[in-house]
Amino acid sequence: MKCLKLNLQFFAGEKTEKATPRKKQDARKKGQVAKSADVNTALSLLAVFLSFLFIGAFMRDRILLMMKGTFQDYLLLELTDQNVHDFLLTMSYQAVIILAPIMAIALVAGILGNYLQVGFLFSTEVLQMKLNKLDPIEGFKRIYSIRAIVELCKSLLKISFVGFVTFAVIWFDMDNILRLSQLAIEQSFLFISTLTVKMGLFASAALLFLSFLDYLYQRYDHEKNLRMSKQDIKDEYKKSEGDPLIKSKIKQRQREMAMRRMMQDVPTADVVITNPTHYAIALKYDESKMDAPFVVAMGVDLIAQKIKEIAQSNDIMLVENRPLARALYEQVEIGQAIPEEFFQAVAEIIAYVYQAKAIERN
């Protein structure tokens, strides 16, 4: 029996269940999302090489202008501190003009890659310092773990696949490459730039394909790491819905408060209709509140006895009517007016009570 209990506890703690929406939301707040860095890299490379098709001429002209200025204006200048300073400023300015569009395109592509994977997410959790990351033992475990081996295999696959695609592009243009020595400098430069863009586009497309597969793996691994045990799900349910023991105590307290309020309203009743031992229904007629008599308190057994004791101590008349008491208890709630079918019977009882009180006063 003890072994069976231990086995049940073991299986209850095994993480075999999918993560709940709340668990996924909490993980997202901590920055734990399914994301592949290769998607950002592939999109950035693809965007950059595609941009060469549109801004390549602009970059070519700026590079030629920079080289022309270097040879014409600065090559024979006297070497002084001021001349070197002016030369570095000019070259830096020219380099910024050439590289700024490429950097901007890469930045936008990187942001787009992140947004496509995780949407808008801002979390400082990953920036917090964690001392356990400085533990050499934990670091050794991370280096020589199954995940590290998987990452190594992925890197080798990416290098091999992208290298093969790039080599294929070069191989199909091998005849033109071998004829480069026969071309003019301008034609050679144009061919090399065209070949470079072609290699970049094919390599980026290959990397994008691999990054899509990597994203699927990262998503699977993320879901696997977020798996919960049956006990985890029960604990989360208790946190979200509340501990059943606490909820029962709250309901009990609410019933006690409602009972006290009900007992406080008994002295305001006009009459209490009894069974006589099992039921007690306290009725009141107030034209300013309702057009018909309404129930201010009701109960059975011990509660009925308590209602009758309070009524007697406050000189409220008890009227025995077994069918009426049972029918009112089953069909009317506290604070509700009595149904129309009971008007005549209740009106006769209240009229009798008013007459009896009038006689007592006289």
Side-chain angles (χ1 to χ4, degrees):
M1 187 69 179
K2 186 175 181 180
C3 293
L4 177 61
K5 186 176 181 181
L6 290 174
N7 288 333
L8 290 175
Q9 291 177 350
F10 172 78
F11 287 113
E14 195 174 4
K15 298 184 182 297
T16 57
E17 306 300 318
K18 289 185 178 180
T20 60
R22 180 175 178 178
K23 178 70 176 291
K24 293 180 180 179
Q25 185 178 5
D26 292 341
R28 181 179 175 83
K29 290 180 180 178
K30 295 178 182 179
Q32 300 174 3
V33 291
K35 176 186 171 184
S36 173
D38 293 338
V39 173
N40 300 341
T41 305
L43 285 178
S44 297
L45 285 175
L46 185 61
V48 167
F49 281 105
L50 281 174
S51 67
F52 287 152
L53 300 177
F54 303 98
I55 63 175
F58 165 78
M59 295 182 66
R60 178 199 61 199
D61 295 339
R62 298 302 304 190
I63 292 174
L64 292 175
L65 180 64
M66 183 175 66
M67 295 176 64
K68 182 178 179 181
T70 301
F71 288 111
Q72 290 182 353
D73 302 331
Y74 295 102
L75 189 61
L76 300 178
L77 276 179
E78 183 180 353
L79 192 62
T80 63
D81 293 342
Q82 185 62 38
N83 289 340
V84 172
H85 180 265
D86 293 341
F87 173 75
L88 291 177
L89 283 180
T90 302
M91 291 298 103
S92 300
Y93 175 72
Q94 295 292 338
V96 168
I97 293 178
I98 295 171
L99 296 177
I102 300 299
M103 302 300 292
I105 291 171
L107 177 63
V108 172
I111 295 174
L112 179 63
N114 275 300
Y115 182 79
L116 291 176
Q117 293 184 84
V118 301
F120 180 77
L121 176 63
F122 178 78
S123 175
T124 59
E125 184 76 18
V126 294
L127 301 178
Q128 296 179 2
M129 183 177 180
K130 296 180 180 179
L131 297 178
N132 60 347
K133 291 186 177 180
L134 302 177
D135 188 353
I137 298 177
E138 293 296 327
F140 183 82
K141 290 180 179 178
R142 286 194 298 269
I143 294 174
Y144 296 97
S145 62
I146 299 298
R147 186 175 183 85
I149 296 175
V150 171
E151 293 297 327
L152 175 61
C153 295
K154 284 164 47 182
S155 299
L156 293 175
L157 176 63
K158 285 186 290 186
I159 294 172
S160 302
F161 188 68
V162 174
F164 173 78
V165 171
T166 307
F167 175 77
V169 174
I170 296 175
W171 180 261
F172 285 112
D173 270 334
M174 185 61 68
D175 294 338
N176 295 325
I177 294 174
L178 295 176
R179 286 196 294 266
L180 276 175
S181 59
Q182 303 174 8
L183 299 177
I185 295 177
E186 185 177 354
Q187 293 175 333
S188 299
F189 183 78
L190 180 61
F191 173 77
I192 292 174
S193 60
T194 303
L195 181 62
T196 302
V197 172
K198 186 187 298 184
M199 290 168 56
L201 290 175
F202 275 92
S204 301
L207 185 59
L208 185 63
F209 171 73
L210 292 178
S211 67
F212 175 72
L213 299 180
D214 182 59
Y215 173 74
L216 295 179
Y217 167 76
Q218 295 293 343
R219 189 169 182 176
Y220 163 78
D221 188 62
H222 178 69
E223 294 286 344
K224 182 180 178 182
N225 292 331
L226 289 182
R227 283 180 183 174
M228 305 171 66
S229 64
K230 290 182 172 62
Q231 186 62 40
D232 292 336
I233 295 177
K234 290 179 181 179
D235 293 340
E236 181 182 297
Y237 178 78
K238 286 182 179 180
K239 289 180 181 179
S240 60
E241 299 295 328
D243 193 328
L245 182 60
I246 296 176
K247 288 177 67 177
S248 64
K249 289 183 178 179
I250 293 175
K251 289 182 179 180
Q252 182 180 357
R253 183 65 59 87
Q254 291 174 343
R255 286 194 296 268
E256 291 175 354
M257 293 174 63
M259 184 67 65
R260 284 196 295 269
R261 288 196 300 267
M262 185 181 70
M263 293 303 177
Q264 291 172 358
D265 291 338
V266 173
T268 65
D270 294 322
V271 64
V272 174
I273 301 175
T274 65
N275 190 20
T277 56
H278 296 293
Y279 294 88
I281 314 296
L283 299 178
K284 180 178 178 61
Y285 180 58
D286 187 350
E287 294 181 356
S288 61
K289 292 184 177 181
M290 293 188 184
D291 295 333
F294 59 93
V295 177
V296 296
M298 65 167 54
V300 295
D301 298 332
L302 294 177
I303 299 177
Q305 296 300 325
K306 185 66 176 178
I307 292 174
K308 289 189 287 186
E309 290 175 4
I310 296 175
Q312 289 174 346
S313 62
N314 288 273
D315 295 329
I316 298 173
M317 185 175 293
L318 305 179
V319 176
E320 180 181 344
N321 191 323
R322 298 186 180 186
L324 181 60
R326 181 183 292 272
L328 289 175
Y329 183 83
E330 293 177 352
Q331 299 184 34
V332 188
E333 299 292 336
I334 297 174
Q336 289 184 350
I338 63 173
E340 187 176 353
E341 60 265 25
F342 302 121
F343 278 2
Q344 184 175 356
V346 173
E348 292 176 356
I349 293 174
I350 291 178
Y352 168 74
V353 171
Y354 285 169
Q355 291 176 1
K357 289 183 177 179
I359 293 173
E360 289 180 0
R361 285 196 296 271
N362 294 333

